[in-house]
Amino acid sequence: YCAISDLTEKQINDYIDFSDNNLKILKFIPDEKDYFVRNMKLDYYGYIPILSLREIPFDAVLNQFMKRLFDILFSTLIIVFVLSWLIPIMAFFIKMESSGPVFFKQKRNGLNKKEFACYKFRSMKINEKADLKQVSKNDPRITKIGKFIRKTSIDELPQFFNVFLGEMSVVGPRPQMVSINNYYAMNVNKFMARHFVKPGITGLAQIKGYRGEVETDQDIFNRVKFDI
């Protein structure tokens, strides 16, 4: 909580950048200066006015409950009616081409940057750099069946188990693997603000075309913009 009357505009902007980049929730106690032109949300704690940087709908308990209920019901339908028959088929093709597990587990950052094991159908040969090196186009580690399931996004379907367990949501920012996440957190402004909510299987950035490999800096900047 910061009293605007004690701060210069530069200090206000510095605090805003610091809070978003360090996963802190920042609120201002306003004065009579012309700072209301910002796109801030005005609340009252009793009779005290409080300004928030952005409206986060999941601060409301009812919204949290409704979104979690949707996630449970939707993920259950996918697990029962899709994955129940798809997993044996995918297991056959994946193991026919290369030895190793059917599922690939990778540490990723979720809500409040907490780490969790993100599930995918394995699309690559077993390799030591799976948790360190981002997959690129024509990556030699990708198997033939892997190219197909990655192109069709079938490899992401096991993440409905993550949704059912409460580690992810159907809709939200796409989670990044821990090593890449740490790099972006230090180099991309407001990247950490994505962790105010659960990561998702899909989100606004994906339907705007920003999915798959991050090829340029602009790709990740636009993803963060749409995620926020």
Side-chain angles (χ1 to χ4, degrees), residues 74-92 94 102-103 119-122 149 153-165 201:
F74 195 86
S75 61
T76 299
L77 289 173
I78 297 297
I79 291 169
V80 173
F81 294 106
V82 178
L83 290 176
S84 59
W85 57 265
L86 184 62
I87 289 174
I89 295 174
M90 294 308 304
F92 172 77
I94 290 171
V102 175
F103 296 106
Y119 295 101
K120 301 180 74 172
F121 283 123
R122 183 170 60 85
I149 65 176
S153 296
I154 291 175
D155 61 323
E156 310 287 0
L157 288 178
Q159 287 162 33
F160 281 102
F161 288 112
N162 292 114
V163 174
F164 184 80
L165 294 171
I201 290 178

Side-chain angles (χ1 to χ4, degrees), residues 4-224:
I4 282 183
S5 60
D6 295 335
L7 303 172
T8 65
E9 180 145 13
K10 181 181 184 304
Q11 288 175 318
I12 291 173
N13 290 326
D14 288 344
Y15 276 125
I16 289 173
D17 287 341
F18 177 86
S19 62
D20 275 348
N21 290 322
N22 290 274
L23 206 58
K24 306 297 181 184
I25 296 176
L26 177 65
K27 295 181 185 293
F28 291 105
I29 302 170
D31 65 358
E32 295 178 356
K33 294 179 183 178
D34 296 329
Y35 287 110
F36 292 97
V37 295
R38 296 176 178 272
N39 293 323
M40 292 189 181
K41 178 175 179 286
L42 179 64
D43 284 319
Y44 282 89
Y45 291 2
Y47 59 88
I48 303 174
I50 297 292
L51 290 171
S52 301
L53 294 182
R54 62 181 63 89
E55 183 175 5
I56 300 180
F58 303 124
D59 286 346
V61 175
L62 178 60
N63 289 340
Q64 293 178 20
F65 173 77
M66 293 300 292
K67 186 167 176 64
R68 181 64 186 136
L69 180 62
F70 171 80
D71 284 343
I72 292 173
L73 294 176
F74 195 86
S75 61
T76 299
L77 289 173
I78 297 297
I79 291 169
V80 173
F81 294 106
V82 178
L83 290 176
S84 59
W85 57 265
L86 184 62
I87 289 174
I89 295 174
M90 294 308 304
F92 172 77
F93 285 107
I94 290 171
K95 284 187 170 291
M96 183 176 69
E97 187 173 359
S98 64
S99 59
V102 175
F103 296 106
F104 171 62
K105 292 193 299 182
Q106 187 177 68
K107 287 289 184 182
R108 299 200 178 187
N109 292 109
L111 179 66
N112 296 322
K113 208 187 173 184
K114 183 179 178 181
E115 291 185 12
F116 70 98
C118 182
Y119 295 101
K120 301 180 74 172
F121 283 123
R122 183 170 60 85
S123 61
M124 297 189 295
K125 302 169 186 175
I126 301 298
N127 66 94
E128 296 178 352
K129 296 183 178 180
D131 290 321
L132 300 173
K133 183 182 177 183
Q134 192 175 25
V135 180
S136 59
K137 289 181 180 178
N138 302 316
D139 196 311
R141 297 175 297 170
I142 301 176
T143 61
K144 292 179 181 178
I145 185 65
K147 290 181 181 178
F148 171 76
I149 65 176
R150 292 181 71 88
K151 186 175 182 180
T152 56
S153 296
I154 291 175
D155 61 323
E156 310 287 0
L157 288 178
Q159 287 162 33
F160 281 102
F161 288 112
N162 292 114
V163 174
F164 184 80
L165 294 171
E167 298 164 329
M168 292 179 63
S169 184
V170 175
V171 177
R174 287 294 300 158
Q176 298 286 342
M177 63 182 183
V178 174
S179 59
I180 296 294
N181 200 83
N182 292 335
Y183 172 79
Y184 287 150
M186 292 187 294
N187 293 280
V188 180
N189 191 38
K190 299 187 183 299
F191 180 83
M192 288 302 295
R194 303 164 73 256
H195 299 86
F196 280 126
V197 297
K198 287 181 184 179
I201 290 178
T202 189
L204 185 60
Q206 281 65 52
I207 66 171
K208 291 290 186 179
Y210 296 100
R211 58 187 296 275
E213 181 188 3
V214 177
E215 297 180 346
T216 67
D217 290 342
Q218 197 61 40
D219 288 341
I220 192 63
F221 295 151
N222 285 325
R223 283 192 188 190
V224 171

